């Protein structure tokens, strides 16, 4: 079988995870690269053995010069997801677009419509759906272990984790920790419980600590274009908190921060059902009744999210979908729904009122 020809648009940090996954997939040839920053794209080309004549700074020129490309990964700043996706779909390519799908729901809907018009796959990079931890929890949920899950909590909190660069620049990111980190855990909970439809959101965002230029010492997170931390733009929220209601009666409480005066970074998901509850923090713990007694259940082997292989799972699934061997488990429709939730939270934060999600 001929290998599918993949192009990656946006050759910064996360492109390494996509390219690594593609390089380990026997059905793929990493064929072309594109970044508005030529040096960055050429660096990746050398790393993955892509000839320099297949490196571009403009995605439209790339599609014109190389019509044989089959599919792409869009790994750009958030504000370029839509334009790169449109260009790829119009050129007849399948698209795996990084999260968040877009800057807002309006863009996301147009992207979904473009995919339908082109008759091509548009998959969203909801990578947490592909985690080993998600697989275990989903197995319990699908077997009815928790009963009716009526309440959930999701936290993705960083104490000093504003990556700087474009992440703090709303015109390129669309927002702060809510759109960058919250998107992962809101989507994960929604996916795990069977993709209910959101009906409303009530949220608050805070701009108190910024990117903490006063903090001394090393930072744990850094965008490829991060410059002098004290001078760069930071007009995104540093904390977001929200309550989201779904049509199945479930309510999800979510918190996401780049900067927060808390002891340590937290990644936590809790699910509360009428038969049992669960906490993923990161090991999975179950809370239930056994033989009439309240009991806590731990696992004999690790259930914690392992980053090793996580992106490979996503990339392998995308390749299987492109080859018609699987149906996308992260369709554009789910990206649109997530953007509607995020839009509603930001609107609620701005107005101080609950926002109905249509
Ligand atoms: N799934 C995850 O866990 C995860 C983790 C990190 C980032 N991301 C997402 O991946 C995307 C990229 O993040 P990153 O950390 O790699 O950022 P980055 O800044 O390291 O890389 C982004 C690259 O996109 C390039 N770019 C911007 N606009 C472009 C355009 N119009 N055409 C071509 N190239 C363009 C930039 O020059 C840059 O090199 C974001 O959407 C982010 O939310 C996802």
């Amino acid at each position: 079988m001929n290998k599918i020809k993949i192009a990656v648009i946006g050759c910064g940090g996360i492109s390494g995870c996509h390219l690594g996954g593609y390089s380990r997939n026997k059905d793929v040839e990493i064929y072309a690269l594109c970044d508005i920053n030529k040096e960055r794209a050429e660096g990746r080309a050398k790393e993955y053995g892509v000839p320099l004549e297949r490196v571009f700074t403009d995605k439209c020129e790339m599609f014109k010069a190389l019509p044989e490309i089959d599919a792409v990964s869009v790994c750009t700043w958030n504000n370029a997801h839509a334009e790169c996706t449109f260009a790829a779909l119009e050129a007849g390519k399948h698209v795996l677009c990084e999260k968040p799908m877009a800057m807002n729901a309006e863009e996301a809907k147009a992207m979904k419509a473009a995919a339908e018009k082109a008759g091509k796959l548009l998959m969203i990079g909801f990578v947490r759906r592909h985690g080993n931890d998600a697989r275990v929890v989903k197995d319990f949920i699908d077997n009815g272990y928790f009963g009716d899950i009526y309440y959930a909590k999701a936290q993705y909190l960083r104490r000093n984790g504003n990556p700087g660069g474009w992440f703090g620049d709303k015109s390129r990111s669309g927002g702060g920790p809510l759109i960058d980190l919250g998107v992962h855990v809101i989507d994960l909970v929604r996916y795990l419980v069977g993709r209910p439809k959101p009906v409303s959101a009530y949220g608050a965002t805070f701009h108190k600590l910024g990117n903490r230029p006063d903090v001394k010492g090393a930072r744990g997170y850094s965008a490829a274009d991060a410059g002098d931390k004290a001078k760069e733009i930071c007009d995104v929220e540093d904390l977001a908190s929200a309550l989201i209601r779904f049509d199945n009666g479930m309510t999800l409480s979510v918190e996401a921060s780049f900067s927060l005066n808390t002891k340590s970074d937290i990644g936590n998901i809790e699910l509360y059902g009428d038969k049992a509850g669960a906490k993923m923090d990161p090991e999975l713990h179950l809370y239930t009744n056994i033989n009439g007694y309240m009991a806590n259940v731990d696992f004999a082997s690790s259930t914690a999210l392992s980053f090793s292989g996580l992106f490979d799972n996503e990339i392998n699934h995308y390749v299987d979908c492109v080859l018609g061997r699987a149906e996308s488990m992260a369709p554009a429709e789910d990206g649109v729904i997530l953007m509607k939730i995020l839009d509603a939270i930001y609107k609620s934060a701005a107005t101080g009122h609950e926002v109905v999600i249509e």
Side-chain angles (χ1 to χ4, degrees):
M1 190 188 74
N2 287 337
K3 292 183 179 220
I4 57 168
K5 294 180 170 57
I6 291 278
V8 173
I9 310 175
C11 297
I14 210 62
S15 73
C17 297
H18 288 238
L19 288 162
Y22 288 130
S23 70
R24 288 182 281 277
N25 187 306
K26 63 174 178 37
D27 294 326
V28 167
E29 177 181 4
I30 301 172
Y31 197 71
L33 296 168
C34 173
D35 198 300
I36 50 173
N37 180 326
K38 193 170 181 220
E39 237 173 64
R40 212 168 280 158
E42 286 182 347
R44 287 290 190 209
K46 283 175 197 144
E47 209 179 328
Y48 289 94
V50 178
L52 289 182
E53 60 270 20
R54 287 197 234 128
V55 172
F56 295 80
T57 52
D58 181 309
K59 74 261 177 208
C60 297
E61 278 174 23
M62 175 174 78
F63 292 130
K64 213 156 86 185
L66 305 174
E68 64 272 29
I69 292 169
D70 295 298
V72 304
S73 273
V74 173
C75 298
T76 64
W77 307 326
N78 300 344
N79 69 329
H81 286 187
E83 65 177 64
C84 294
T85 297
F86 291 140
L89 290 169
E90 278 160 21
K93 318 304 173 197
H94 301 286
V95 178
L96 168 57
C97 178
E98 260 302 341
K99 52 50 64 175
M101 180 172 179
M103 297 285 274
N104 50 52
E106 204 183 322
E107 267 187 9
K109 280 191 248 171
M111 291 159 76
K112 177 173 173 282
E116 284 160 5
K117 188 172 169 209
K120 294 289 163 182
L121 169 68
L122 172 54
M123 181 172 140
I124 311 304
F126 289 133
V127 74
R128 291 289 306 268
R129 293 186 180 204
H130 302 271
N132 54 305
D133 57 344
R135 205 157 31 229
V136 176
V137 176
K138 188 128 186 66
D139 187 31
F140 275 92
I141 290 176
D142 292 349
N143 279 302
Y145 182 80
F146 297 101
D148 175 28
I149 296 174
Y150 53 90
Y151 185 59
K153 283 208 261 189
Q155 292 173 300
Y156 201 151
L157 299 174
R158 290 181 184 164
R159 182 176 182 172
N160 182 27
N162 184 323
W166 69 270
F167 284 93
D169 174 3
K170 200 172 171 188
S171 68
R172 286 182 286 171
S173 62
L178 179 67
I179 197 168
D180 184 47
L181 307 177
V183 65
H184 277 296
V185 287
I186 297 170
D187 177 69
L188 180 58
V189 170
R190 184 175 168 266
Y191 165 72
L192 288 173
V193 302
R195 300 153 81 191
K197 184 181 169 301
V199 292
S200 70
Y202 181 77
T205 55
F206 303 88
H207 299 67
K208 297 284 185 185
L209 306 179
N211 56 4
R212 309 196 92 167
D214 51 316
V215 170
K216 297 171 187 163
R219 276 167 186 274
Y221 307 90
S222 189
D225 67 339
D228 178 350
K229 298 286 174 192
K231 290 186 197 144
E232 69 189 26
I233 305 163
C234 181
D235 60 358
V236 299
E237 79 278 3
D238 44 50
L239 169 68
S241 156
L243 212 54
I244 307 156
R245 287 179 190 277
F246 292 87
D247 67 346
N248 64 350
M250 188 187 83
T251 299
L252 165 63
S253 159
V254 61
E255 294 173 350
S257 72
F258 277 164
S259 307
L260 188 68
N261 284 321
T262 182
K263 188 177 175 199
S264 50
D265 292 2
I266 297 170
N268 177 44
I269 292 199
E270 294 172 38
L271 303 170
Y272 299 97
D274 56 9
K275 286 193 191 156
K279 187 168 167 67
M280 299 161 76
D281 78 334
E283 290 291 343
L284 176 63
H285 307 279
L286 304 178
Y287 310 111
T288 186
N289 286 349
I290 299 179
N291 194 32
Y293 295 90
M294 280 197 281
N296 303 341
V297 179
D298 289 338
F299 289 76
S301 52
S302 178
T303 50
L305 172 65
S306 163
F307 282 95
S308 142
L310 178 62
F311 276 89
D312 283 18
N313 291 345
E314 177 179 85
I315 294 297
N316 292 340
H317 175 65
Y318 177 52
V319 171
D320 282 347
C321 293
V322 167
L323 288 169
R325 299 193 292 225
E327 199 170 316
S328 171
M329 59 186 268
E333 172 68 22
D334 286 351
V336 173
I337 287 174
L338 245 289
M339 292 318 302
K340 284 186 184 180
I341 293 174
L342 300 181
D343 281 5
I345 295 172
Y346 281 127
K347 189 170 173 193
S348 172
T351 59
H353 300 290
E354 184 178 15
V355 171
V356 171
I357 301 172
E358 305 290 348

